[in-house]
């Protein structure tokens, strides 16, 4: 909170993680609800989009996610991340967006975790979603993309 407040006060280019994280998370859910494979792909970073398996991963993720979530009735997701500031400028800001207990109209319950970069001055092709994990209530999981800072 202190870092985010400092970023906002000093004008270092930090992005409000909660506000922007919710927008990204809601858009991921919209794409899953509507089986919008192209919309979901467009959210991924330019670097991620060069992965030859991304289209198949997205389609398989859509198949794994059963039903639709009422986005308007959702609580705000947990959003966290971190940033790096050099000479008063934010040069990197990453995020993790976490939706727990998402209940679909088919009665399934999921958790969705999405990670990526808001800002990456060193490697702008990494800006965007890097990976999405979808977990079901039986602890099965499906991963779309790959987040290199976790490795």
């Amino acid at each position: 909170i202190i870092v985010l407040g400092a970023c906002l006060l000093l004008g270092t280019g930090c992005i409000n993680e909660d506000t922007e994280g919710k927008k990204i998370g809601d858009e991921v859910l919209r794409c899953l609800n509507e089986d919008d494979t192209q919309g979901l792909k467009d959210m991924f970073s330019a670097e991620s989009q060069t992965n030859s398996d991304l289209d198949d991963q997205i389609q398989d993720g859509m198949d794994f996610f059963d039903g639709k979530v009422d986005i308007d009735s959702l609580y705000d997701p947990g959003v966290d991340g971190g940033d790096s500031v050099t000479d008063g400028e934010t040069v990197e800001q990453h995020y993790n967006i976490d939706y727990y207990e998402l209940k679909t109209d088919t009665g399934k319950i999921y958790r969705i975790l999405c990670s990526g970069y808001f800002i990456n001055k060193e490697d702008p092709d990494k800006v965007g979603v890097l990976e999405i994990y979808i977990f079901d209530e039986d602890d099965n999981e499906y991963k779309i993309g790959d987040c290199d800072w976790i490795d």
Side-chain angles (χ1 to χ4, degrees), residues 55-73:
D55 288 324
D56 290 336
Q57 290 175 12
I58 290 172
Q59 186 58 60
D60 291 345
M62 297 277 184
D63 294 341
F64 181 79
F65 188 79
D66 183 23
K68 298 184 185 318
V69 173
D70 180 3
I71 295 173
D72 294 331
S73 69

Side-chain angles (χ1 to χ4, degrees), residues 9 12 14 21 28 32 38 49 53 56 58 61 75 79 82 88 95 102 104 106 114 120 123 136:
L9 288 174
T12 59
C14 273
V28 167
L32 289 170
Q38 188 59 50
Q49 290 185 34
D53 294 334
D56 290 336
I58 290 172
Y75 58 88
V79 180
Y95 59 82
L102 294 170
T104 67
T106 62
C114 176
N120 190 323
D123 196 349
D136 71 13

Side-chain angles (χ1 to χ4, degrees), residues 78-108:
V79 180
D80 66 13
D83 57 23
S84 177
V85 178
T86 303
D87 296 327
E89 178 184 13
T90 302
V91 294
E92 180 184 294
Q93 187 176 11
H94 65 270
Y95 59 82
N96 297 299
I97 304 161
D98 202 349
Y99 280 102
Y100 286 90
E101 306 259 337
L102 294 170
K103 188 170 184 180
T104 67
D105 58 0
T106 62
K108 303 277 186 169

